[in-house]
Amino acid sequence: MKHPKLLVAGAGGLNGRLLLKKLAENNIPVRAMVRNKESTKELENETTEIVEADLSNPATLDKAFDSIEQAYIVTAVHPDAAAYFSNFFQAAKKAGVKHVIKLSGLGASADSPSEILRQHYQSDAQLTQSGLDFTVIQPNSFFQNILGQARAIQRKWRFGMLLGEASQSLVDMNDVAEATVRIVQDKSHRNKIYPLTGPESISGNDIAEQLATFLEKPVRYKPVSGTLAKQEMLAGGLPEWNANALVEIMELFATGAFQETTSDLENILDRRPNRFADFVTENRAVFF
Ligand SMILES: NC(=O)c1ccc[n+]([C@@H]2O[C@H](COP(=O)([O-])OP(=O)(O)OC[C@H]3O[C@@H](n4cnc5c(N)ncnc54)[C@H](OP(=O)(O)O)[C@@H]3O)[C@@H](O)[C@H]2O)c1
């Protein structure tokens, strides 16, 4: 295997796995950073090598960065996320990395009502002021979030979201991964902050209507309250901090403040980003 010059942190998560797949399709050698090599063996292939490191332990990062020129980081929603990013940027700088790509979130700002978006702002600012070349990717919420409700949709033709009657310019995680590959390959994307959205703004009722048409079933949307959403997350085993932070950000989405669309994703991909209908078509098997 050609020696990888690209490090991907958070490689075992949802965004990381998709990115690895797209990099392999483009024959780009990569070193995938995971916390547990044993449980992520399947990520290894002809173009992907695995390194074990922990973002909360800076001493483990030097080995991961050995001979690396470009690095990408996504990490979990976590109270210490800003410290994880910080450790990664410092290790990148120490290793002489040229370009760091960070997965952030749309609306990251110092005074956001969402702690997740304030954390992202802090880390985005740290990266853009680090002296490293950077690209900050700020996507809106992903279509893929609804996949967690696929079984309820199959069984009861019903789903719930904490979005009220608002609409949101949701985006396809696949498109974001594909855009990331372009950002890796093309130097013109350096030192840019990209707010990425889908091509349209859709509400819970729009989603229900599209699923109903596609599946030929009477699919219904029911807005969910913050209290109920939190109860369900805690019952599903999510830690309290995460449940609070997720309810907080979703209540922000429900104000309708995330419905604008941007042209950045279309410009990077050089095609129209996927619509929700494209996503449902591609995931037909999951909903049936
Ligand atoms: N969901 C959305 O709609 C949306 C939209 C825009 C932005 N985002 C952003 O996307 C991010 C979440 O992405 P995701 O869904 O891909 O997350 P995920 O599936 O939870 O994966 C997170 C990854 O981070 C790794 N990680 C966690 N703690 C670590 C540590 N201490 N050291 C090394 N690695 C660590 C995890 O490794 P292990 O496998 O070892 O646990 C995992 O691979 C968040 O920053 C969120 O704000 C999400």
Side-chain angles (χ1 to χ4, degrees), residues 103-118:
L103 188 84
S104 176
L106 191 71
S109 73
D111 56 359
S112 172
S114 154
E115 184 169 359
I116 293 174
L117 293 176
R118 290 195 304 275

Side-chain angles (χ1 to χ4, degrees), residues 2 9 24 36 44 54 58 61 228-229 248:
K2 244 175 94 185
N36 186 334
E44 206 159 9
D54 192 322
L61 296 175
L228 181 60
E248 189 177 67

Side-chain angles (χ1 to χ4, degrees), residues 2-7 29-31 49 51 61-71 91-92 94-98:
K2 244 175 94 185
H3 182 74
K5 297 192 170 76
L6 171 68
L7 176 69
V30 56
R31 183 178 297 155
E49 66 176 40
V51 66
L61 296 175
D62 292 345
K63 178 177 57 140
F65 275 103
D66 182 39
S67 308
I68 289 296
E69 293 181 2
Q70 222 178 357
K94 190 168 141 199
V97 168
K98 295 195 174 85

Side-chain angles (χ1 to χ4, degrees), residues 201-222:
S201 194
I202 50 174
S203 65
N205 283 323
D206 295 332
I207 291 176
E209 213 173 279
Q210 293 192 32
L211 285 169
T213 306
F214 190 79
L215 304 173
E216 296 178 348
K217 299 284 178 193
V219 181
R220 293 247 169 78
Y221 162 65
K222 192 166 182 291

Side-chain angles (χ1 to χ4, degrees), residues 9 33-36 51-65 73 75 78 80 83-84 87-88 91:
M33 190 179 129
V34 299
R35 276 188 295 187
N36 186 334
V51 66
E52 223 173 46
D54 192 322
L55 291 163
S56 67
N57 182 356
T60 64
L61 296 175
D62 292 345
K63 178 177 57 140
F65 275 103
I73 178 166
T75 192
H78 190 277
D80 298 333
Y84 293 174
N87 291 340
F88 190 77

Side-chain angles (χ1 to χ4, degrees), residues 186-249:
D186 181 347
K187 283 192 175 165
S188 72
H189 295 305
R190 295 194 183 184
N191 303 320
K192 302 267 169 60
I193 299 177
Y194 287 128
L196 301 184
T197 74
E200 61 193 353
S201 194
I202 50 174
S203 65
N205 283 323
D206 295 332
I207 291 176
E209 213 173 279
Q210 293 192 32
L211 285 169
T213 306
F214 190 79
L215 304 173
E216 296 178 348
K217 299 284 178 193
V219 181
R220 293 247 169 78
Y221 162 65
K222 192 166 182 291
V224 170
S225 69
T227 312
L228 181 60
K230 181 173 170 183
Q231 271 171 15
E232 285 176 354
M233 287 184 217
L234 293 177
L238 213 62
E240 176 119 23
W241 183 90
N242 293 60
N244 284 331
L246 290 172
V247 166
E248 189 177 67
I249 197 169

Side-chain angles (χ1 to χ4, degrees), residues 95-148:
V97 168
K98 295 195 174 85
H99 177 212
V100 173
I101 304 165
K102 172 186 181 285
L103 188 84
S104 176
L106 191 71
S109 73
D111 56 359
S112 172
S114 154
E115 184 169 359
I116 293 174
L117 293 176
R118 290 195 304 275
Q119 283 180 331
H120 271 311
Y121 171 80
Q122 185 187 333
S123 305
D124 294 356
Q126 189 184 357
L127 175 58
T128 58
Q129 291 160 24
S130 65
L132 290 155
D133 274 351
F134 63 84
T135 310
V136 176
I137 301 173
Q138 298 181 328
N140 206 339
S141 300
F142 300 122
F143 293 152
Q144 278 75 3
N145 293 339
I146 203 169
L147 293 176

